[in-house]
Amino acid sequence: MTQTIEFGLDTFGDVTHANGKPLPHAQVLRDVVAQGVLADQVGVDFIGLGEHHRDDFAISAPEMVMAAIAARTSRIRVGTAVTVLSSDDPIRLFQRLSTLDALSNGRAELILGRGSFTESFPLFGFDLRDYETLFEQKLDLFTRLIRDDKISWSGSHRPALKGQRVYPTPERPLRAWVGVGGSPESVIRAVHFDLPMMLAIIGGSPARFKPFAELYRDAFAQADRPVQPIGVHSPGHIADTDEAARENFFPGYKAMHDRIGRERGWPALQKADFLREVEHGSLYVGSPETVAAKIAGTVKALGLNRFQLKYSAGPVPHAALMRTIELYGTRVIPLVRDMLG
């Protein structure tokens, strides 16, 4: 397991605060690039950038930020986390990623998802009533693009293709995952399209997702195909001590949670609920030793090939995010590898 596990970081470009005021999107984007550069320097394997179209997240064009990070690094893989495929064009997405993959010497990848936010649908002229069919058809087309030289395809949401070539041609197949929020249907879809599965576990015990990991492996076995990798994306924060991590992270995490909660009808986050999630759920918040032990437990329980820590959360300051990245790369990852070994 120590030879196959990869360690990543994810961010949505959450708008951070300085002196009690939100920073401009432009500064947040520059800070994300600096975070990616630091992640490369401290040995993180992957950084994923989430696509959103709202004022509390700065990244709406992740491939542009990925390119900026790739230009200043030499080792770290850069990807999306996630690309909202339902409201994108699979062909243009393939062209952007294959271009970035060429310029980064094979370091580009992406995680495809339906997205838990829906602002992109009206923005780009899509009907939410087509939520399921848009994703299913576009995922079908995109998987053909990454595997076939000539594309013949038809669906109900774009013109058919017949023997179409799409350029630039990648030097090697693009690596694409599918994001899964936790439904059996989504797990089976990932198997059907023969894609690695990234489980978004943002609440509750990680162990409750074990049946989904087992279903994924069993479905591949029944199809007589080699099982693809499994990853987990979960939020967290690292500081020198457990107490410092909790105190640094809670205000920003609560601000983000409560803002989204007002839109979706959730109750405001209480400190006791936060601490319960830290201690027993899917918040990886604490000292390097605490976070490493929790990650190792999740990797073992689910049989993971990758773990991705969503290190940004609302207005948590840039300096605190940089410290999390430093500790993740220099302390947490080596500790987890030792624990798994």
Side-chain angles (χ1 to χ4, degrees), residues 6-45:
E6 298 175 336
F7 295 91
L9 290 165
D10 292 337
T11 179
F12 300 162
D14 305 52
V15 172
T16 50
H17 284 195
N19 300 318
K21 296 182 179 180
L23 291 172
H25 285 164
Q27 183 60 55
V28 174
L29 291 170
R30 291 189 288 267
D31 288 344
V32 169
V33 174
Q35 292 157 17
V37 171
L38 177 60
D40 180 69
Q41 293 170 348
V42 298
V44 178
D45 298 311

Side-chain angles (χ1 to χ4, degrees), residues 4-305:
T4 60
I5 184 73
E6 298 175 336
F7 295 91
L9 290 165
D10 292 337
T11 179
F12 300 162
D14 305 52
V15 172
T16 50
H17 284 195
N19 300 318
K21 296 182 179 180
L23 291 172
H25 285 164
Q27 183 60 55
V28 174
L29 291 170
R30 291 189 288 267
D31 288 344
V32 169
V33 174
Q35 292 157 17
V37 171
L38 177 60
D40 180 69
Q41 293 170 348
V42 298
V44 178
D45 298 311
F46 170 83
I47 185 164
L49 311 178
E51 173 195 349
H52 292 82
H53 303 274
R54 43 188 290 137
D55 65 352
D56 47 346
F57 300 124
I59 300 174
S60 61
E63 298 92 352
M64 296 294 291
V65 188
M66 290 160 56
I69 293 172
R72 294 181 54 188
T73 58
S74 59
R75 183 195 54 78
I76 194 168
R77 296 186 65 84
V78 291
T80 63
V82 302
T83 291
V84 185
L85 182 61
S86 306
S87 56
D88 209 333
D89 181 87
I91 293 177
R92 291 296 288 147
L93 176 63
F94 172 84
Q95 291 175 324
R96 298 195 303 268
L97 261 293
S98 59
T99 299
L100 180 54
D101 194 63
L103 296 176
S104 64
N105 291 312
R107 291 187 286 135
E109 62 182 73
L110 72 168
I111 303 171
L112 303 166
R114 291 178 293 181
S116 61
F117 295 84
T118 59
E119 289 85 359
S120 64
F121 283 79
L123 183 64
F124 299 120
F126 293 98
D127 193 329
L128 272 171
R129 290 175 295 185
D130 299 325
Y131 186 81
E132 292 289 344
T133 59
L134 280 168
F135 185 69
E136 188 79 22
Q137 291 186 14
K138 291 186 177 187
L139 186 60
D140 179 41
L141 175 53
F142 191 84
T143 54
R144 297 185 192 213
L145 287 164
I146 63 176
R147 292 169 184 158
D148 300 336
D149 292 331
K150 292 184 178 181
I151 310 302
S152 294
W153 179 91
S154 64
S156 58
H157 294 288
R158 59 158 295 132
L161 300 170
K162 186 174 182 180
Q164 180 70 53
R165 291 184 180 272
V166 180
Y167 306 103
T169 303
E171 293 176 308
R172 61 193 64 80
L174 290 176
R175 189 178 191 186
W177 302 64
V178 61
V180 172
S183 73
E185 294 79 11
S186 295
V187 174
I188 295 302
R189 179 190 290 117
V191 176
H192 172 74
F193 287 107
D194 200 23
L195 291 172
M197 176 176 70
M198 183 62 62
L199 290 166
I201 306 180
I202 60 174
S205 170
R208 68 191 178 94
F209 281 77
K210 187 174 181 178
F212 296 104
E214 292 174 343
L215 173 62
Y216 184 75
R217 295 188 184 94
D218 290 345
F220 269 108
Q222 292 176 17
D224 197 25
R225 285 186 276 133
V227 66
Q228 293 281 2
I230 301 176
V232 159
H233 152 109
S234 288
H237 184 78
I238 309 162
D240 293 293
T241 66
D242 288 348
E243 181 180 7
R246 294 176 182 191
E247 293 306 312
N248 289 348
F249 191 66
F250 177 69
Y253 184 74
K254 175 176 170 58
M256 178 189 68
H257 179 282
D258 290 355
R259 171 171 177 161
I260 298 171
R262 287 190 294 271
E263 299 169 1
R264 301 186 179 185
W266 303 341
L269 180 66
Q270 303 300 315
K271 187 68 171 287
D273 297 325
F274 167 76
L275 293 175
R276 185 164 49 252
E277 192 66 37
V278 169
E279 293 167 3
H280 306 292
S282 294
L283 277 179
Y284 295 75
V285 176
S287 67
E289 293 77 12
T290 296
V291 172
K294 193 165 187 177
I295 292 174
T298 299
V299 170
K300 291 178 181 178
L302 301 182
L304 301 182
N305 304 98

Side-chain angles (χ1 to χ4, degrees), residues 312-334:
S312 61
V316 176
H318 171 60
L321 301 181
M322 293 288 273
R323 182 61 174 160
T324 285
I325 294 168
E326 179 186 1
L327 291 172
Y328 186 66
T330 61
R331 300 275 301 282
V332 172
I333 291 175

